Amino acid sequence: MTDHNKKIATAFSKGEFSSVYDILADNIEWNIVGERLLKGKEEVIAYCQKTAQYFSEVSTDFRIKGIVAEGNHVMINGTAEFIGKSNKSTYISSCDVYSFEENKLREITSYCIKTNKPETL
């Protein structure tokens, strides 16, 4: 199941949210540390849709720097560059921790830090 979980986690970390909606547990919790705690499938999907709308309005470059999978957990370390309409770039470094339970994505903890420049691979 680890490869399957890695694929789901990778898609989510790359902003491909709709591809994992069926895998979300009804009682999922997504803690975006320091920003918000989303509880329940409906709340998580609503936030994903809002975020996906933003992604569609900017150019995005997601880069995965590393993946660690152990048992029912997957951790993804990555970066993102968002280029807005004014050609101004915003850079983010992130780590997402995914927990799976009974073949469903049960919990996500996201640490996102805005940086001044792109991270090198």
Side-chain angles (χ1 to χ4, degrees):
M1 191 55 106
T2 300
D3 285 340
H4 182 257
N5 292 351
K6 282 170 55 175
K7 288 179 185 177
I8 291 165
T10 299
F12 199 92
S13 285
K14 292 174 88 177
E16 300 166 6
F17 305 119
S18 63
S19 69
V20 303
Y21 289 163
D22 290 342
I23 304 298
L24 300 177
D26 289 337
N27 61 342
I28 186 169
E29 290 188 6
W30 183 9
N31 182 10
I32 305 168
V33 176
E35 187 177 326
R36 68 187 70 219
L37 174 62
L38 304 163
K39 292 185 175 188
K41 188 173 184 175
E42 289 181 18
E43 193 171 321
V44 168
I45 289 174
Y47 188 77
C48 287
Q49 290 171 335
K50 180 181 173 184
T51 303
Q53 177 63 38
Y54 168 74
F55 289 167
S56 73
E57 296 169 359
V58 298
S59 174
T60 58
D61 181 16
F62 294 102
R63 295 183 183 218
I64 296 194
K65 296 176 73 173
I67 300 175
V68 176
E70 179 72 32
N72 291 325
H73 303 283
V74 178
M75 281 104 1
I76 297 183
N77 180 28
T79 62
E81 178 181 9
F82 303 100
I83 304 170
K85 292 177 183 174
S86 64
N87 276 342
K88 182 179 177 191
S89 291
T90 301
Y91 303 99
I92 302 291
S93 288
S94 66
C95 181
D96 297 316
V97 181
Y98 299 89
S99 297
F100 293 84
E101 189 176 280
E102 298 178 1
N103 299 323
K104 294 285 189 175
L105 180 51
R106 171 63 183 90
E107 186 176 332
I108 308 165
T109 303
S110 296
Y111 302 90
C112 301
I113 301 168
K114 188 174 180 179
T115 62
N116 293 327
K117 60 182 179 172
E119 297 288 323
T120 57
L121 293 176

